[in-house]
Short mmCIF file of all heavy atoms in Angstrom, two decimals:
data_model
loop_
_atom_site.label_atom_id
_atom_site.label_comp_id
_atom_site.label_asym_id
_atom_site.label_seq_id
_atom_site.Cartn_x
_atom_site.Cartn_y
_atom_site.Cartn_z
N MET S 118 -1.81 -31.18 0.13
CA MET S 118 -2.11 -29.74 0.17
C MET S 118 -0.80 -28.96 0.07
O MET S 118 -0.04 -28.86 1.03
CB MET S 118 -2.86 -29.46 1.45
CG MET S 118 -3.12 -28.00 1.64
SD MET S 118 -4.26 -27.77 3.00
CE MET S 118 -5.59 -27.01 2.16
N SER S 154 10.32 -19.56 29.77
CA SER S 154 9.48 -18.65 28.99
C SER S 154 8.85 -19.35 27.79
O SER S 154 7.76 -18.97 27.34
CB SER S 154 10.31 -17.45 28.53
OG SER S 154 11.40 -17.88 27.77
N TRP S 159 3.92 -22.40 24.36
CA TRP S 159 3.12 -23.62 24.28
C TRP S 159 1.70 -23.36 24.78
O TRP S 159 0.73 -23.80 24.16
CB TRP S 159 3.76 -24.72 25.13
CG TRP S 159 5.01 -25.28 24.56
CD1 TRP S 159 5.95 -24.62 23.83
CD2 TRP S 159 5.47 -26.64 24.65
NE1 TRP S 159 6.97 -25.45 23.48
CE2 TRP S 159 6.71 -26.69 23.97
CE3 TRP S 159 4.98 -27.78 25.25
CZ2 TRP S 159 7.45 -27.87 23.88
CZ3 TRP S 159 5.71 -28.96 25.15
CH2 TRP S 159 6.92 -29.00 24.47
N ARG S 287 -5.09 2.49 -0.79
CA ARG S 287 -4.27 3.05 0.29
C ARG S 287 -2.80 2.67 0.12
O ARG S 287 -2.04 2.70 1.10
CB ARG S 287 -4.80 2.59 1.64
CG ARG S 287 -5.79 3.57 2.23
CD ARG S 287 -6.21 3.20 3.64
NE ARG S 287 -7.38 2.38 3.67
CZ ARG S 287 -8.62 2.85 3.68
NH1 ARG S 287 -8.85 4.14 3.70
NH2 ARG S 287 -9.66 2.04 3.70
N ALA S 373 -14.78 -5.92 11.59
CA ALA S 373 -15.63 -6.73 10.71
C ALA S 373 -16.53 -5.86 9.85
O ALA S 373 -16.91 -6.23 8.75
CB ALA S 373 -16.47 -7.69 11.55
N SER S 456 -6.69 -28.75 -4.88
CA SER S 456 -7.45 -29.34 -5.98
C SER S 456 -8.46 -28.34 -6.54
O SER S 456 -8.69 -28.28 -7.74
CB SER S 456 -8.16 -30.59 -5.50
OG SER S 456 -8.90 -30.29 -4.33
N ALA S 460 -8.54 -26.99 -10.32
CA ALA S 460 -9.75 -27.13 -11.12
C ALA S 460 -10.19 -25.78 -11.67
O ALA S 460 -10.61 -25.67 -12.81
CB ALA S 460 -10.87 -27.74 -10.27
N LEU S 481 -13.66 -8.07 -10.57
CA LEU S 481 -13.72 -8.45 -9.17
C LEU S 481 -12.39 -9.00 -8.69
O LEU S 481 -12.05 -8.90 -7.52
CB LEU S 481 -14.79 -9.53 -8.97
CG LEU S 481 -16.23 -9.06 -9.07
CD1 LEU S 481 -17.15 -10.26 -9.12
CD2 LEU S 481 -16.59 -8.20 -7.89
N ALA S 494 -17.20 10.75 2.02
CA ALA S 494 -16.92 10.24 3.36
C ALA S 494 -17.39 8.80 3.49
O ALA S 494 -16.85 8.02 4.24
CB ALA S 494 -17.61 11.10 4.40
N ARG S 500 -21.94 -2.98 -8.44
CA ARG S 500 -21.52 -4.23 -9.05
C ARG S 500 -21.00 -3.95 -10.45
O ARG S 500 -21.63 -3.21 -11.21
CB ARG S 500 -22.68 -5.20 -9.11
CG ARG S 500 -23.12 -5.61 -7.73
CD ARG S 500 -24.33 -6.46 -7.84
NE ARG S 500 -24.86 -6.72 -6.51
CZ ARG S 500 -26.02 -7.26 -6.28
NH1 ARG S 500 -26.79 -7.61 -7.27
NH2 ARG S 500 -26.42 -7.47 -5.06
N ALA S 513 -22.69 -10.76 -11.03
CA ALA S 513 -21.78 -11.67 -11.74
C ALA S 513 -21.61 -12.93 -10.90
O ALA S 513 -21.57 -12.88 -9.69
CB ALA S 513 -20.43 -10.98 -11.92
N ARG S 515 -19.40 -16.54 -10.19
CA ARG S 515 -18.02 -16.99 -10.28
C ARG S 515 -18.01 -18.51 -10.24
O ARG S 515 -18.80 -19.13 -9.54
CB ARG S 515 -17.24 -16.45 -9.09
CG ARG S 515 -15.83 -16.94 -9.00
CD ARG S 515 -15.25 -16.52 -7.69
NE ARG S 515 -15.38 -15.07 -7.52
CZ ARG S 515 -14.62 -14.20 -8.14
NH1 ARG S 515 -13.68 -14.60 -8.95
NH2 ARG S 515 -14.79 -12.92 -7.93
N ARG S 614 -15.25 -13.73 9.29
CA ARG S 614 -15.21 -13.30 7.88
C ARG S 614 -15.33 -14.49 6.95
O ARG S 614 -15.96 -14.41 5.89
CB ARG S 614 -13.93 -12.52 7.59
CG ARG S 614 -13.90 -11.96 6.20
CD ARG S 614 -13.16 -10.68 6.10
NE ARG S 614 -13.73 -9.66 6.97
CZ ARG S 614 -13.19 -8.46 7.15
NH1 ARG S 614 -12.11 -8.13 6.51
NH2 ARG S 614 -13.74 -7.60 7.97
N ARG S 618 -18.12 -15.25 4.05
CA ARG S 618 -17.74 -15.42 2.66
C ARG S 618 -17.93 -16.83 2.12
O ARG S 618 -18.02 -17.02 0.92
CB ARG S 618 -16.26 -15.04 2.48
CG ARG S 618 -15.97 -13.58 2.70
CD ARG S 618 -16.92 -12.76 1.89
NE ARG S 618 -16.49 -11.40 1.74
CZ ARG S 618 -17.24 -10.47 1.17
NH1 ARG S 618 -18.42 -10.77 0.71
NH2 ARG S 618 -16.80 -9.24 1.06
N ARG S 623 -16.97 -25.14 4.63
CA ARG S 623 -15.77 -24.63 3.94
C ARG S 623 -15.09 -23.55 4.78
O ARG S 623 -13.87 -23.45 4.82
CB ARG S 623 -16.17 -24.06 2.59
CG ARG S 623 -15.01 -23.72 1.70
CD ARG S 623 -15.50 -23.17 0.39
NE ARG S 623 -16.32 -24.12 -0.32
CZ ARG S 623 -17.20 -23.77 -1.25
NH1 ARG S 623 -17.38 -22.52 -1.56
NH2 ARG S 623 -17.91 -24.70 -1.86
N ARG S 629 -7.99 -23.44 9.00
CA ARG S 629 -6.84 -24.21 9.48
C ARG S 629 -5.54 -23.47 9.15
O ARG S 629 -4.65 -23.36 9.99
CB ARG S 629 -6.81 -25.58 8.82
CG ARG S 629 -7.95 -26.48 9.22
CD ARG S 629 -7.90 -27.73 8.38
NE ARG S 629 -9.05 -28.58 8.63
CZ ARG S 629 -9.33 -29.66 7.91
NH1 ARG S 629 -8.54 -30.00 6.90
NH2 ARG S 629 -10.38 -30.40 8.19
N SER S 647 10.98 -12.74 24.57
CA SER S 647 11.63 -13.49 25.65
C SER S 647 13.13 -13.26 25.68
O SER S 647 13.77 -13.51 26.69
CB SER S 647 11.37 -14.98 25.48
OG SER S 647 12.09 -15.46 24.37
N ALA Q 1505 12.22 -25.19 21.26
CA ALA Q 1505 11.05 -25.26 22.14
C ALA Q 1505 10.00 -24.24 21.72
O ALA Q 1505 8.80 -24.53 21.74
CB ALA Q 1505 11.47 -25.01 23.59
N TYR Q 1506 10.43 -23.05 21.30
CA TYR Q 1506 9.48 -22.06 20.82
C TYR Q 1506 8.85 -22.49 19.51
O TYR Q 1506 7.71 -22.14 19.20
CB TYR Q 1506 10.18 -20.70 20.63
CG TYR Q 1506 10.17 -19.87 21.89
CD1 TYR Q 1506 11.27 -19.81 22.71
CD2 TYR Q 1506 9.05 -19.14 22.24
CE1 TYR Q 1506 11.27 -19.06 23.87
CE2 TYR Q 1506 9.02 -18.39 23.40
CZ TYR Q 1506 10.14 -18.36 24.21
OH TYR Q 1506 10.10 -17.62 25.35
N GLU Q 1524 -7.56 -35.95 3.91
CA GLU Q 1524 -8.84 -35.61 3.29
C GLU Q 1524 -8.71 -35.54 1.78
O GLU Q 1524 -9.60 -35.96 1.05
CB GLU Q 1524 -9.31 -34.25 3.82
CG GLU Q 1524 -9.91 -34.32 5.22
CD GLU Q 1524 -10.39 -32.97 5.70
OE1 GLU Q 1524 -10.21 -31.99 4.96
OE2 GLU Q 1524 -10.91 -32.90 6.81
N ARG Q 1525 -7.59 -34.98 1.34
CA ARG Q 1525 -7.40 -34.85 -0.11
C ARG Q 1525 -7.31 -36.22 -0.76
O ARG Q 1525 -7.90 -36.46 -1.81
CB ARG Q 1525 -6.12 -34.04 -0.39
CG ARG Q 1525 -5.85 -33.82 -1.87
CD ARG Q 1525 -4.77 -32.76 -2.07
NE ARG Q 1525 -3.54 -33.09 -1.37
CZ ARG Q 1525 -2.58 -33.86 -1.87
NH1 ARG Q 1525 -2.70 -34.34 -3.09
NH2 ARG Q 1525 -1.48 -34.10 -1.19
N ASP Q 1530 -11.85 -33.05 0.09
CA ASP Q 1530 -11.31 -31.72 0.40
C ASP Q 1530 -12.20 -30.60 -0.10
O ASP Q 1530 -11.84 -29.44 -0.07
CB ASP Q 1530 -9.89 -31.56 -0.14
CG ASP Q 1530 -9.84 -31.63 -1.64
OD1 ASP Q 1530 -10.87 -32.00 -2.24
OD2 ASP Q 1530 -8.79 -31.32 -2.22
N GLU Q 1532 -13.42 -29.88 -3.10
CA GLU Q 1532 -13.25 -29.28 -4.43
C GLU Q 1532 -14.54 -29.29 -5.23
O GLU Q 1532 -14.88 -28.37 -5.95
CB GLU Q 1532 -12.14 -30.03 -5.19
CG GLU Q 1532 -11.74 -29.40 -6.50
CD GLU Q 1532 -12.64 -29.80 -7.64
OE1 GLU Q 1532 -13.16 -30.92 -7.66
OE2 GLU Q 1532 -12.84 -28.95 -8.53
N HIS Q 1534 -17.45 -28.84 -4.45
CA HIS Q 1534 -18.49 -27.87 -4.08
C HIS Q 1534 -18.20 -26.46 -4.58
O HIS Q 1534 -18.99 -25.58 -4.39
CB HIS Q 1534 -18.66 -27.82 -2.56
CG HIS Q 1534 -19.01 -29.15 -1.98
ND1 HIS Q 1534 -20.12 -29.85 -2.36
CD2 HIS Q 1534 -18.38 -29.93 -1.06
CE1 HIS Q 1534 -20.19 -30.99 -1.70
NE2 HIS Q 1534 -19.13 -31.07 -0.92
N TRP Q 1535 -17.06 -26.25 -5.16
CA TRP Q 1535 -16.72 -24.89 -5.60
C TRP Q 1535 -17.37 -24.62 -6.95
O TRP Q 1535 -16.70 -24.52 -7.96
CB TRP Q 1535 -15.20 -24.74 -5.74
CG TRP Q 1535 -14.48 -24.69 -4.44
CD1 TRP Q 1535 -13.83 -25.71 -3.84
CD2 TRP Q 1535 -14.31 -23.58 -3.59
NE1 TRP Q 1535 -13.28 -25.31 -2.65
CE2 TRP Q 1535 -13.55 -23.99 -2.48
CE3 TRP Q 1535 -14.73 -22.24 -3.64
CZ2 TRP Q 1535 -13.21 -23.14 -1.44
CZ3 TRP Q 1535 -14.39 -21.39 -2.62
CH2 TRP Q 1535 -13.63 -21.86 -1.53
N GLY Q 1537 -19.40 -21.99 -7.47
CA GLY Q 1537 -19.63 -20.56 -7.65
C GLY Q 1537 -21.05 -20.13 -7.36
O GLY Q 1537 -21.28 -19.08 -6.80
N GLN Q 1542 -22.02 -14.33 -1.89
CA GLN Q 1542 -21.44 -13.31 -1.03
C GLN Q 1542 -20.28 -12.58 -1.72
O GLN Q 1542 -20.00 -11.43 -1.43
CB GLN Q 1542 -20.90 -13.95 0.25
CG GLN Q 1542 -21.94 -14.68 1.06
CD GLN Q 1542 -21.87 -16.16 0.80
OE1 GLN Q 1542 -21.72 -16.58 -0.35
NE2 GLN Q 1542 -21.97 -16.94 1.84
N TRP Q 1543 -19.59 -13.28 -2.58
CA TRP Q 1543 -18.43 -12.66 -3.21
C TRP Q 1543 -18.80 -11.49 -4.09
O TRP Q 1543 -17.99 -10.64 -4.39
CB TRP Q 1543 -17.64 -13.69 -4.00
CG TRP Q 1543 -16.90 -14.60 -3.09
CD1 TRP Q 1543 -17.21 -15.88 -2.77
CD2 TRP Q 1543 -15.75 -14.27 -2.32
NE1 TRP Q 1543 -16.32 -16.36 -1.86
CE2 TRP Q 1543 -15.42 -15.40 -1.57
CE3 TRP Q 1543 -14.97 -13.12 -2.20
CZ2 TRP Q 1543 -14.33 -15.43 -0.69
CZ3 TRP Q 1543 -13.89 -13.13 -1.35
CH2 TRP Q 1543 -13.58 -14.28 -0.61
N ASP Q 1544 -20.02 -11.48 -4.55
CA ASP Q 1544 -20.42 -10.37 -5.43
C ASP Q 1544 -21.35 -9.40 -4.72
O ASP Q 1544 -21.81 -8.45 -5.27
CB ASP Q 1544 -21.11 -10.94 -6.67
CG ASP Q 1544 -20.20 -11.91 -7.38
OD1 ASP Q 1544 -19.03 -11.55 -7.57
OD2 ASP Q 1544 -20.65 -13.01 -7.70
N ASP Q 1545 -21.65 -9.68 -3.48
CA ASP Q 1545 -22.61 -8.87 -2.74
C ASP Q 1545 -22.00 -8.51 -1.39
O ASP Q 1545 -22.27 -9.15 -0.39
CB ASP Q 1545 -23.88 -9.71 -2.50
CG ASP Q 1545 -25.06 -9.05 -3.17
OD1 ASP Q 1545 -24.93 -7.87 -3.50
OD2 ASP Q 1545 -26.08 -9.72 -3.34
N ASP Q 1546 -21.17 -7.49 -1.38
CA ASP Q 1546 -20.51 -7.16 -0.11
C ASP Q 1546 -21.54 -6.61 0.86
O ASP Q 1546 -22.17 -5.59 0.59
CB ASP Q 1546 -19.41 -6.12 -0.36
CG ASP Q 1546 -18.45 -6.07 0.82
OD1 ASP Q 1546 -18.94 -6.10 1.97
OD2 ASP Q 1546 -17.25 -6.00 0.59
N ARG Q 1548 -21.07 -5.31 3.70
CA ARG Q 1548 -20.65 -4.14 4.49
C ARG Q 1548 -20.73 -2.89 3.62
O ARG Q 1548 -19.78 -2.52 2.94
CB ARG Q 1548 -19.22 -4.35 4.99
CG ARG Q 1548 -19.18 -5.30 6.16
CD ARG Q 1548 -17.85 -5.88 6.33
NE ARG Q 1548 -17.56 -6.76 5.22
CZ ARG Q 1548 -16.36 -7.22 4.93
NH1 ARG Q 1548 -15.35 -6.85 5.63
NH2 ARG Q 1548 -16.18 -8.04 3.94
N LEU Q 1549 -21.88 -2.31 3.60
CA LEU Q 1549 -22.07 -1.16 2.72
C LEU Q 1549 -21.55 0.12 3.31
O LEU Q 1549 -21.52 1.14 2.67
CB LEU Q 1549 -23.55 -1.01 2.38
CG LEU Q 1549 -24.11 -2.15 1.53
CD1 LEU Q 1549 -25.61 -2.01 1.38
CD2 LEU Q 1549 -23.45 -2.17 0.17
N ASP Q 1553 -14.26 5.03 6.19
CA ASP Q 1553 -13.53 6.18 5.65
C ASP Q 1553 -14.24 7.44 6.03
O ASP Q 1553 -14.80 8.15 5.48
CB ASP Q 1553 -13.37 6.07 4.14
CG ASP Q 1553 -12.20 5.18 3.82
OD1 ASP Q 1553 -11.49 4.82 4.77
OD2 ASP Q 1553 -12.00 4.87 2.64
#
Side-chain angles (χ1 to χ4, degrees):
Chain S
M118 176 169 242
S154 58
W159 288 34
R287 268 186 268 273
S456 52
L481 287 169
R500 294 175 187 169
R515 175 189 305 285
R614 185 148 301 175
R618 294 310 196 186
R623 190 180 299 158
R629 293 173 186 172
S647 71
Chain Q
Y1506 272 99
E1524 282 181 358
R1525 181 167 56 86
D1530 64 349
E1532 188 276 328
H1534 301 302
W1535 288 99
Q1542 301 99 317
W1543 287 104
D1544 303 313
D1545 241 344
D1546 197 317
R1548 283 159 292 166
L1549 293 174
D1553 277 353

